[in-house]
Structure formats: structure tokens, C-alpha cells
Amino acid sequence: MKLHARPTILTNTSLADIADKVEAGARLDFDDGVRLYESNDIHTLGALADVVRRRLHGRRAYYNINRHVNYSNYCVLRCKFCSFYLPFEKAVSGDSASPMTTDFGGTPLPLFGGEAATGHDHHAGYELTVDEMTARAREAYERGATEIHIVGGLHPKLPFSYYTDMCRAIRDACPRMHIKAFTAIEIIHFSRIARPRMSIREVLIALRESGLGSLPGGGAEIFDDRVHDEAFKNKVGEAEWFEVHRTAHELGIFTNATMLYGHVETRAERVGHLVKLRSHQDESLASRAAHFNCVIPLSFVPDGSALAHLPGPTGLEDLKTLAISRLMLDNVSHVKAFWIMQTPKLAQVSLNWGVDDIDGTVVYYDITKREGGGGTTHQELSVDTLKRLIREAGCEPVERDTLYRRVIREDGDWRVEEPS
Ligand code: V47
């Protein structure tokens, strides 16, 4: 698509050379990304991102009917940006009351607040049994969900069989529902806890055989050693994150990619992160059976984390980051604004700033909770609201499945439209 009647703003801007590249479909380099961040010409930035978005998707904007479920908030890591985790030792040493046992076949464990994922006290530690996970999946499936998104903390005790059993039980109960589960960090954890130890490839194959459909994009944070050491030192770094996604792509498993921005990183470090994702995607598109479907820039929510003294990104920084992600990642089809983190209103605005996807109904979300949220994990948008947000932005709502196939609903049932 050409910028037929180029608005004067684009000819008068100091970003004119970047506008020329965008118009020509040429790749932006690292310095272009930093300049876009530093420019005050936000209208040009938004317009350029919109050019790329329209070229790829016209006025379509995607949403899905999904359900996020977190199996446990116990975690062996202590990432400073995270308000989700609870140290397991704290729980077993008796900080909480009402222990319950699990049914996953391992050593009985204390289970506190097993209903946390349905909207109860989010400060308590919990781990859900396979039966509880399956019940949540079934409930979502019966309400029309096409996807379940499962992630959790790195639990020190649960055996690898818990995760394969969970996938198998959900697949059996909800055969058409796509299981998008486990960040790269969890996959590495599984490869270490499996007995005998398993390679990343073996873990992914075992999970896929149990029903796993694709991997979500979490755990990427910012690919930079300085930021890694300052904000999430004990977590594996970018080499391991990319190894998991590379292996998944080789196996034909599609994945997403995130960037957690607005904490201790600089803008240049964000651009560096995007360039690294782009290089990986080039390789996957050229030589692997799958690739990144979508990039999700996640806006840091400081509340309750060890970085709660930081302000978090402004709305303008959110918009800039979404637009620059669209412009830098010329080889990733979709850019998602996750409304839980960017807020529904900003996600709506971003639909004219490069974004083509606002995630889905979500229903329960436990990883970030904004203060004043009433202590509940219930965070839901109805399908009507998602469609209204999209229409008000001048876009056409399209229900998609996890792999971005259009979902058609007829006579109380749904099917996906195979790409022609
Ligand atoms: O890995 C943790 C991030 C991620 C905070 O693939 C935080 O479709 C903001 O990856 N503020 C999990 N973010 C969420 C995630 C995701 C979400 C929606 C869709 C998809 C997808 C993936 O959340 C974590 C971490 O990077 N996170 N703490 C926080 N305080």
C-alpha cells in the first residue's frame, strides 16, 4: 500500500527519512527505533505504525474467547518486577492456614487458597490439582472458549507428570480447545526436574503428545544482560529463552513473544530486544516449520512488586512502544495490546497505532493485579465489550483462534475457517 496522499505532517517531520522507508516497505534499523522513541512527533509515529498495520490487516482487529488459568503461584525465582510469586518455603513453614492435598500423584503438598484462580485472596499461595485445572478448562469450553492459556510459577515440587497429566486431562475433556501453555522459563524448569532429565526438545515433544498446542510469549522480559542482572538475575537469560523458541519452531510448534517494558530498562534496550526478536523470526521463517505468530509488548504494572516505587510507563510510552514494535517487527504478523496491562481504553486507542489484536475475554488473571482492584483475580471483558471497543476504534472485529484463523459461530457451535 502506498501513502497516496501523504499528510503534510509526514513531509515536514524530522522523521521523513523513516517515513520514506516505511512507505517503501524497507526495514528500520536500531537507530531508527531509538529516534522514533525520542521524537516528539507522536502523530507521525502513530500514522506510520497505522500504515503498516493497514497494509497487513486492513481494518480487521482480532480478539478471542479465551481463559487464562494459573496452576500455582509458588515460584523458586524472585524476579523484582513480579507481584505474582510466593516462595514455597513460606507456605510450608506454616504462614497460611487450611492445608489441602493435591491429586497429582506426588507427595501431598500444602495447598492454600485453592480457589485463588477463581477470584479469591490473591496473597495466599495456591496450587491447583489436575482435576481443578480440568474443571476450569471445561467451564471455559462450555462457555465457548477456543483457547486456554496456562502458565504458573516454577514450582519446586510438582513432578513433570503433573504437567503432562494436566494437558492430557484438558484435551480429553475439551477436545477442540487449543492449549497454549508454559513460558520458555517453565519449559526449561521442566527439563531440569524431569526424571530422568530431559532435553528441551524431549519436553516439548512430550507436552505436544499430551495435547499442548502452542507456547505463549512470556518470560522474555528484556534481552539485555544489564537489565537481566538488575531485575531478574536468577532467571535464565536470553540464550535459553531463544533456545526454547527455536526448538519449538523446529518442531512446528508456533509461539508468541513478549517484551516487558517500563521498569529498569532504557528505550534503547527495548529497541535492542525487538531487533533480537526480529533476527530470530528471520531465521525461523527461512528454515523452520513454525515461527512467532504475535508479539505482545507488556506494560509493567509496579503494584505489589519489589519495583513498586517505580512509576510504570505512561499511556504515551505505552502507545509509542506498541507503535515502535509494529514498525520494527516487520516480519511478525500480529502486534497485541494485552488489555489487562495496557487497559481497555488504551488498547482501543492502539488499534490506530499499529496494534491489530487486543487478546480476549481472559476472565481470571492472577499475574498482575492493580491496586484498588478489590483483591480479586476476576478480570473479564465480555465479547460484546471487546467488539464494541474495536468498532468504536473504526475497526472490524474478527474472532480468531490461537493460530489466527477466523472463528465462525453458528447454531450454538463454532468452527474455524481454514485459510484459502
Ligand atoms: O512472563 C510479570 C509478565 C508475563 C509483571 O502469549 C508482568 O498471547 C507486567 O506472557 N507487570 C506473563 N507484566 C504474561 C504473558 C502473556 C500475556 C498475554 C498474552 C500472552 C500471549 C502472553 O507477564 C510474564 C512476565 O513477563 N509480568 N510481572 C508485571 N508486574
Side-chain angles (χ1 to χ4, degrees):
M1 184 209 267
K2 289 201 69 82
L3 282 173
H4 290 301
R6 183 193 266 196
T8 25
I9 196 161
L10 296 190
T11 52
N12 295 337
T13 177
S14 62
L15 300 176
D17 57 322
I18 297 181
D20 286 341
K21 283 192 186 177
V22 171
E23 183 176 1
R27 179 160 277 192
L28 303 189
D29 61 25
F30 174 85
D31 290 340
D32 294 330
V34 175
R35 273 177 61 210
L36 286 168
Y37 260 122
E38 297 307 327
S39 170
N40 290 326
D41 190 354
I42 56 169
H43 299 291
T44 296
L45 171 60
L48 292 177
D50 193 48
V51 166
V52 177
R53 182 237 191 271
R54 284 177 191 248
R55 198 182 274 156
L56 290 167
H57 306 291
R59 295 311 293 151
R60 291 185 298 282
Y62 299 94
Y63 69 94
N64 72 347
I65 302 187
N66 65 351
R67 180 74 62 104
H68 286 242
V69 186
N70 306 115
Y71 52 86
S72 175
N73 60 354
Y74 291 123
C75 190
V76 298
L77 299 177
R78 308 280 180 269
C79 301
K80 286 189 188 165
F81 57 77
C82 182
S83 60
F84 169 63
Y85 77 84
L86 200 87
F88 187 69
E89 313 82 67
K90 218 173 161 183
V92 291
S93 69
D95 268 18
S96 298
S98 314
M100 293 156 64
T101 52
T102 64
D103 71 351
F104 55 80
T107 317
L109 291 165
L111 173 63
F112 304 123
E115 288 183 304
T118 56
H120 292 79
D121 177 7
H122 60 256
H123 296 298
Y126 65 87
E127 60 207 18
L128 302 185
T129 65
V130 167
D131 283 350
E132 287 170 320
M133 289 296 294
T134 312
R136 280 159 180 68
R138 193 180 287 116
E139 195 225 335
Y141 194 52
E142 283 166 2
R143 287 179 59 190
T146 60
E147 168 189 288
I148 184 161
H149 180 145
I150 303 172
V151 293
L154 304 190
H155 195 291
K157 299 279 182 199
L158 292 172
F160 182 52
S161 57
Y162 166 79
Y163 305 96
T164 47
D165 287 351
M166 180 203 299
C167 288
R168 222 174 289 114
I170 293 174
R171 180 189 53 196
D172 291 349
C174 319
R176 289 192 300 144
M177 189 156 68
H178 184 105
I179 304 176
K180 181 173 82 177
F182 312 126
T183 65
I185 313 304
E186 289 161 275
I187 300 293
I188 291 165
H189 177 67
F190 300 162
S191 80
R192 291 175 177 169
I193 58 155
R195 294 290 174 271
R197 276 182 75 136
M198 293 166 80
S199 67
I200 288 168
R201 179 173 294 267
E202 287 165 341
V203 165
L204 288 170
I205 290 171
L207 289 169
R208 179 165 64 182
E209 283 171 1
S210 309
L212 179 83
S214 64
L215 298 186
E221 325 314 1
I222 292 282
F223 298 134
D224 181 90
D225 289 348
R226 185 197 71 78
V227 181
H228 174 267
D229 290 355
E230 198 171 328
F232 47 101
K233 196 172 174 44
N234 296 326
K235 199 176 209 165
V236 294
E238 67 185 74
E240 291 85 354
W241 191 94
F242 277 116
E243 187 186 349
V244 171
H245 286 262
R246 185 182 314 113
T247 311
H249 294 173
E250 282 167 4
L251 291 170
I253 299 173
F254 286 88
T255 72
N256 289 339
T258 56
M259 170 170 77
L260 175 64
Y261 66 92
H263 44 99
V264 302
E265 87 292 355
T266 63
R267 288 166 161 179
E269 285 161 348
R270 284 179 216 159
V271 177
H273 179 96
L274 297 174
V275 169
K276 287 176 186 174
L277 285 177
R278 187 170 73 184
S279 303
H280 179 100
Q281 180 80 332
D282 277 343
E283 290 169 19
S284 287
L285 288 169
S287 60
R288 299 177 189 129
H291 51 262
F292 296 128
N293 270 331
C294 172
V295 67
I296 309 118
L298 298 169
S299 181
F300 173 54
V301 178
D303 307 21
S305 76
L307 299 176
H309 56 285
L310 297 178
T314 62
L316 186 55
E317 199 68 11
D318 281 332
L319 276 180
K320 281 187 159 187
T321 302
L322 291 162
I324 292 167
S325 300
R326 177 62 287 163
L327 289 166
M328 295 303 294
L329 287 163
D330 55 3
N331 55 3
V332 177
S333 295
H334 301 279
V335 175
K336 182 193 290 187
F338 186 39
W339 62 262
I340 293 271
M341 288 172 195
Q342 268 100 8
T343 75
K345 281 195 176 181
L346 208 80
Q348 182 183 47
V349 175
S350 73
L351 290 172
N352 286 290
W353 276 65
V355 164
D356 62 277
D357 186 338
I358 56 171
D359 205 80
T361 44
V362 180
V363 187
Y364 295 104
Y365 200 71
D366 200 18
I367 295 184
T368 52
K369 283 124 327 207
R370 289 184 194 274
E371 261 155 32
T376 174
T377 60
H378 187 198
Q379 302 189 67
E380 179 170 12
L381 285 185
S382 67
V383 171
D384 283 349
T385 303
L386 288 164
K387 284 180 168 173
R388 179 179 56 74
L389 288 169
I390 290 171
R391 284 206 185 97
E392 284 173 355
C395 297
E396 173 211 340
V398 175
E399 185 187 342
R400 61 160 178 90
D401 73 351
T402 310
L403 304 177
Y404 287 88
R405 295 172 301 187
R406 190 186 276 265
V407 174
I408 296 163
R409 295 196 179 258
E410 277 166 350
D411 306 325
D413 199 7
W414 60 269
R415 63 185 165 84
V416 292
E417 189 178 76
E418 290 300 337
S420 46

